[in-house]
Amino acid sequence: MQPKDYYTIIISVIALIVSIFSNFFQKAKENQRSIRKNLSDTLESVTKINFENSKLRKEGGSEEVEVVEMRRIYNSQRRILVAHADFLILKYDKIVTEIDCNIMAGAYANIGDAQKAEFYWKKTIDKSESGPIKHMNLRGYALFLFRQGKIEVGRSKYKEALLIDLPDNDPTRILTTDTYLMWAAAEKNTNNKSEETKLINDAISTCSRIGNNNSRLQMEKRIKHVTAKIETEQV
């Protein structure tokens, strides 16, 4: 066999190996895209059920037989979808985003599984890709903890959100003002009047630093709405 024949064989073998690996990676990418689409479609269906359930609560009496039955159907559908999404997320963590986990946390909270909801809140925070997103996810987790009766841990998460180093600009001031108001509402539900008042004052102080006139007026309107409710309840 001539040397050139050896070269031809080697080149052919290399080409075959490259082709095999290329096909393998192409199929892997296609499989990943398919799984990602499956997860997105599943979570989209969960959000649609949440929306329909919300409409049902507003439009019908909560104790009507038809409404109760529809709520049960929606909850069953949601449980099936959430179980499927949970399987995909735990198996293919690398393709999972913080908003996926955020939706899952809310879904598990809605079906009464506090343990799984907390698991996904923590996962949401871990996957947060920016300071503002992490801030919002921490305060969402804090609100969940307040509703679970874990008041001190909830407070620590609100504080953690507010300690994140964010740019000193209008978007941050709006975000922070909103967080103070959310925390104040949570304290209100625990009858902690002094902390509620302090947080509203913090909101007022932060709001006063918003440079954009329209944005500041919108936030001032929100604060006035909150303080008006407090004054009405104290009469």
PDB file of all heavy atoms in Angstrom, residues 53 56 59-74:
ATOM      1  N   ASN A  53     -58.256  31.305  36.589  1.00  0.00           N
ATOM      2  CA  ASN A  53     -58.680  31.130  37.974  1.00  0.00           C
ATOM      3  C   ASN A  53     -58.946  32.468  38.641  1.00  0.00           C
ATOM      4  O   ASN A  53     -59.891  32.627  39.418  1.00  0.00           O
ATOM      5  CB  ASN A  53     -57.599  30.359  38.738  1.00  0.00           C
ATOM      6  CG  ASN A  53     -58.167  29.488  39.831  1.00  0.00           C
ATOM      7  OD1 ASN A  53     -59.367  29.342  39.958  1.00  0.00           O
ATOM      8  ND2 ASN A  53     -57.294  28.916  40.636  1.00  0.00           N
ATOM      9  N   LEU A  56     -62.165  33.827  37.418  1.00  0.00           N
ATOM     10  CA  LEU A  56     -63.261  33.082  38.034  1.00  0.00           C
ATOM     11  C   LEU A  56     -63.596  33.636  39.409  1.00  0.00           C
ATOM     12  O   LEU A  56     -64.777  33.781  39.774  1.00  0.00           O
ATOM     13  CB  LEU A  56     -62.866  31.601  38.134  1.00  0.00           C
ATOM     14  CG  LEU A  56     -63.968  30.617  38.508  1.00  0.00           C
ATOM     15  CD1 LEU A  56     -65.033  30.558  37.422  1.00  0.00           C
ATOM     16  CD2 LEU A  56     -63.378  29.228  38.739  1.00  0.00           C
ATOM     17  N   GLU A  59     -65.407  37.066  38.877  1.00  0.00           N
ATOM     18  CA  GLU A  59     -66.692  37.072  38.173  1.00  0.00           C
ATOM     19  C   GLU A  59     -67.789  36.279  38.876  1.00  0.00           C
ATOM     20  O   GLU A  59     -68.967  36.586  38.725  1.00  0.00           O
ATOM     21  CB  GLU A  59     -66.509  36.504  36.754  1.00  0.00           C
ATOM     22  CG  GLU A  59     -65.640  37.394  35.870  1.00  0.00           C
ATOM     23  CD  GLU A  59     -65.304  36.737  34.543  1.00  0.00           C
ATOM     24  OE1 GLU A  59     -65.761  35.589  34.315  1.00  0.00           O
ATOM     25  OE2 GLU A  59     -64.581  37.368  33.744  1.00  0.00           O
ATOM     26  N   GLY A  60     -67.411  35.252  39.626  1.00  0.00           N
ATOM     27  CA  GLY A  60     -68.435  34.404  40.245  1.00  0.00           C
ATOM     28  C   GLY A  60     -68.313  34.377  41.742  1.00  0.00           C
ATOM     29  O   GLY A  60     -67.249  34.622  42.296  1.00  0.00           O
ATOM     30  N   GLY A  61     -69.413  34.079  42.421  1.00  0.00           N
ATOM     31  CA  GLY A  61     -69.373  33.928  43.866  1.00  0.00           C
ATOM     32  C   GLY A  61     -68.511  32.736  44.243  1.00  0.00           C
ATOM     33  O   GLY A  61     -68.622  31.669  43.639  1.00  0.00           O
ATOM     34  N   SER A  62     -67.670  32.921  45.228  1.00  0.00           N
ATOM     35  CA  SER A  62     -66.689  31.889  45.570  1.00  0.00           C
ATOM     36  C   SER A  62     -67.316  30.609  46.093  1.00  0.00           C
ATOM     37  O   SER A  62     -66.697  29.552  46.064  1.00  0.00           O
ATOM     38  CB  SER A  62     -65.703  32.436  46.604  1.00  0.00           C
ATOM     39  OG  SER A  62     -66.389  32.829  47.778  1.00  0.00           O
ATOM     40  N   GLU A  63     -68.569  30.673  46.573  1.00  0.00           N
ATOM     41  CA  GLU A  63     -69.202  29.489  47.138  1.00  0.00           C
ATOM     42  C   GLU A  63     -70.199  28.832  46.180  1.00  0.00           C
ATOM     43  O   GLU A  63     -70.814  27.821  46.538  1.00  0.00           O
ATOM     44  CB  GLU A  63     -69.922  29.864  48.459  1.00  0.00           C
ATOM     45  CG  GLU A  63     -69.005  30.455  49.514  1.00  0.00           C
ATOM     46  CD  GLU A  63     -67.838  29.530  49.833  1.00  0.00           C
ATOM     47  OE1 GLU A  63     -68.047  28.301  49.892  1.00  0.00           O
ATOM     48  OE2 GLU A  63     -66.718  30.037  50.006  1.00  0.00           O
ATOM     49  N   GLU A  64     -70.398  29.392  45.008  1.00  0.00           N
ATOM     50  CA  GLU A  64     -71.309  28.775  44.053  1.00  0.00           C
ATOM     51  C   GLU A  64     -70.758  27.431  43.611  1.00  0.00           C
ATOM     52  O   GLU A  64     -69.559  27.263  43.399  1.00  0.00           O
ATOM     53  CB  GLU A  64     -71.506  29.687  42.835  1.00  0.00           C
ATOM     54  CG  GLU A  64     -72.285  30.960  43.160  1.00  0.00           C
ATOM     55  CD  GLU A  64     -72.458  31.846  41.936  1.00  0.00           C
ATOM     56  OE1 GLU A  64     -72.132  31.377  40.823  1.00  0.00           O
ATOM     57  OE2 GLU A  64     -72.911  32.991  42.097  1.00  0.00           O
ATOM     58  N   VAL A  65     -71.662  26.453  43.447  1.00  0.00           N
ATOM     59  CA  VAL A  65     -71.256  25.083  43.123  1.00  0.00           C
ATOM     60  C   VAL A  65     -70.438  25.035  41.841  1.00  0.00           C
ATOM     61  O   VAL A  65     -69.398  24.371  41.765  1.00  0.00           O
ATOM     62  CB  VAL A  65     -72.498  24.170  42.988  1.00  0.00           C
ATOM     63  CG1 VAL A  65     -72.078  22.775  42.540  1.00  0.00           C
ATOM     64  CG2 VAL A  65     -73.246  24.096  44.310  1.00  0.00           C
ATOM     65  N   GLU A  66     -70.890  25.756  40.800  1.00  0.00           N
ATOM     66  CA  GLU A  66     -70.195  25.748  39.510  1.00  0.00           C
ATOM     67  C   GLU A  66     -68.784  26.324  39.637  1.00  0.00           C
ATOM     68  O   GLU A  66     -67.839  25.822  39.029  1.00  0.00           O
ATOM     69  CB  GLU A  66     -70.980  26.555  38.465  1.00  0.00           C
ATOM     70  CG  GLU A  66     -72.335  25.972  38.093  1.00  0.00           C
ATOM     71  CD  GLU A  66     -73.425  26.367  39.077  1.00  0.00           C
ATOM     72  OE1 GLU A  66     -73.111  27.050  40.089  1.00  0.00           O
ATOM     73  OE2 GLU A  66     -74.585  25.998  38.844  1.00  0.00           O
ATOM     74  N   VAL A  67     -68.665  27.387  40.425  1.00  0.00           N
ATOM     75  CA  VAL A  67     -67.366  28.036  40.608  1.00  0.00           C
ATOM     76  C   VAL A  67     -66.411  27.104  41.350  1.00  0.00           C
ATOM     77  O   VAL A  67     -65.247  26.956  40.971  1.00  0.00           O
ATOM     78  CB  VAL A  67     -67.518  29.370  41.377  1.00  0.00           C
ATOM     79  CG1 VAL A  67     -66.155  29.949  41.729  1.00  0.00           C
ATOM     80  CG2 VAL A  67     -68.331  30.357  40.559  1.00  0.00           C
ATOM     81  N   VAL A  68     -66.907  26.468  42.399  1.00  0.00           N
ATOM     82  CA  VAL A  68     -66.077  25.537  43.177  1.00  0.00           C
ATOM     83  C   VAL A  68     -65.606  24.397  42.289  1.00  0.00           C
ATOM     84  O   VAL A  68     -64.433  23.987  42.336  1.00  0.00           O
ATOM     85  CB  VAL A  68     -66.861  24.984  44.388  1.00  0.00           C
ATOM     86  CG1 VAL A  68     -66.072  23.870  45.065  1.00  0.00           C
ATOM     87  CG2 VAL A  68     -67.157  26.106  45.375  1.00  0.00           C
ATOM     88  N   GLU A  69     -66.486  23.879  41.452  1.00  0.00           N
ATOM     89  CA  GLU A  69     -66.130  22.782  40.554  1.00  0.00           C
ATOM     90  C   GLU A  69     -65.076  23.202  39.542  1.00  0.00           C
ATOM     91  O   GLU A  69     -64.115  22.463  39.269  1.00  0.00           O
ATOM     92  CB  GLU A  69     -67.385  22.283  39.830  1.00  0.00           C
ATOM     93  CG  GLU A  69     -67.166  21.063  38.951  1.00  0.00           C
ATOM     94  CD  GLU A  69     -66.677  19.852  39.720  1.00  0.00           C
ATOM     95  OE1 GLU A  69     -66.992  19.732  40.917  1.00  0.00           O
ATOM     96  OE2 GLU A  69     -65.960  19.028  39.117  1.00  0.00           O
ATOM     97  N   MET A  70     -65.237  24.403  38.982  1.00  0.00           N
ATOM     98  CA  MET A  70     -64.260  24.898  38.020  1.00  0.00           C
ATOM     99  C   MET A  70     -62.894  25.108  38.677  1.00  0.00           C
ATOM    100  O   MET A  70     -61.859  24.809  38.082  1.00  0.00           O
ATOM    101  CB  MET A  70     -64.740  26.217  37.398  1.00  0.00           C
ATOM    102  CG  MET A  70     -65.823  26.059  36.349  1.00  0.00           C
ATOM    103  SD  MET A  70     -65.293  25.030  34.957  1.00  0.00           S
ATOM    104  CE  MET A  70     -63.901  25.959  34.327  1.00  0.00           C
ATOM    105  N   ARG A  71     -62.911  25.596  39.906  1.00  0.00           N
ATOM    106  CA  ARG A  71     -61.648  25.785  40.622  1.00  0.00           C
ATOM    107  C   ARG A  71     -60.946  24.454  40.834  1.00  0.00           C
ATOM    108  O   ARG A  71     -59.722  24.355  40.713  1.00  0.00           O
ATOM    109  CB  ARG A  71     -61.910  26.461  41.970  1.00  0.00           C
ATOM    110  CG  ARG A  71     -61.998  27.996  41.855  1.00  0.00           C
ATOM    111  CD  ARG A  71     -62.547  28.653  43.089  1.00  0.00           C
ATOM    112  NE  ARG A  71     -61.957  28.148  44.322  1.00  0.00           N
ATOM    113  CZ  ARG A  71     -62.536  28.265  45.519  1.00  0.00           C
ATOM    114  NH1 ARG A  71     -63.725  28.836  45.622  1.00  0.00           N
ATOM    115  NH2 ARG A  71     -61.942  27.818  46.590  1.00  0.00           N
ATOM    116  N   ARG A  72     -61.702  23.426  41.125  1.00  0.00           N
ATOM    117  CA  ARG A  72     -61.120  22.093  41.312  1.00  0.00           C
ATOM    118  C   ARG A  72     -60.504  21.584  40.003  1.00  0.00           C
ATOM    119  O   ARG A  72     -59.422  20.988  40.009  1.00  0.00           O
ATOM    120  CB  ARG A  72     -62.187  21.117  41.798  1.00  0.00           C
ATOM    121  CG  ARG A  72     -62.560  21.310  43.270  1.00  0.00           C
ATOM    122  CD  ARG A  72     -63.693  20.411  43.667  1.00  0.00           C
ATOM    123  NE  ARG A  72     -64.043  20.596  45.076  1.00  0.00           N
ATOM    124  CZ  ARG A  72     -65.185  20.206  45.624  1.00  0.00           C
ATOM    125  NH1 ARG A  72     -66.101  19.599  44.872  1.00  0.00           N
ATOM    126  NH2 ARG A  72     -65.418  20.401  46.893  1.00  0.00           N
ATOM    127  N   ILE A  73     -61.203  21.826  38.909  1.00  0.00           N
ATOM    128  CA  ILE A  73     -60.692  21.401  37.595  1.00  0.00           C
ATOM    129  C   ILE A  73     -59.394  22.141  37.276  1.00  0.00           C
ATOM    130  O   ILE A  73     -58.409  21.533  36.846  1.00  0.00           O
ATOM    131  CB  ILE A  73     -61.743  21.655  36.490  1.00  0.00           C
ATOM    132  CG1 ILE A  73     -62.945  20.715  36.692  1.00  0.00           C
ATOM    133  CG2 ILE A  73     -61.137  21.473  35.102  1.00  0.00           C
ATOM    134  CD1 ILE A  73     -64.133  21.043  35.816  1.00  0.00           C
ATOM    135  N   TYR A  74     -59.393  23.459  37.495  1.00  0.00           N
ATOM    136  CA  TYR A  74     -58.188  24.251  37.240  1.00  0.00           C
ATOM    137  C   TYR A  74     -57.027  23.773  38.111  1.00  0.00           C
ATOM    138  O   TYR A  74     -55.880  23.665  37.645  1.00  0.00           O
ATOM    139  CB  TYR A  74     -58.444  25.737  37.504  1.00  0.00           C
ATOM    140  CG  TYR A  74     -59.230  26.443  36.419  1.00  0.00           C
ATOM    141  CD1 TYR A  74     -60.175  27.415  36.739  1.00  0.00           C
ATOM    142  CD2 TYR A  74     -59.013  26.154  35.079  1.00  0.00           C
ATOM    143  CE1 TYR A  74     -60.890  28.084  35.743  1.00  0.00           C
ATOM    144  CE2 TYR A  74     -59.722  26.808  34.082  1.00  0.00           C
ATOM    145  CZ  TYR A  74     -60.660  27.768  34.419  1.00  0.00           C
ATOM    146  OH  TYR A  74     -61.360  28.417  33.430  1.00  0.00           O
TER     147      TYR A  74
END
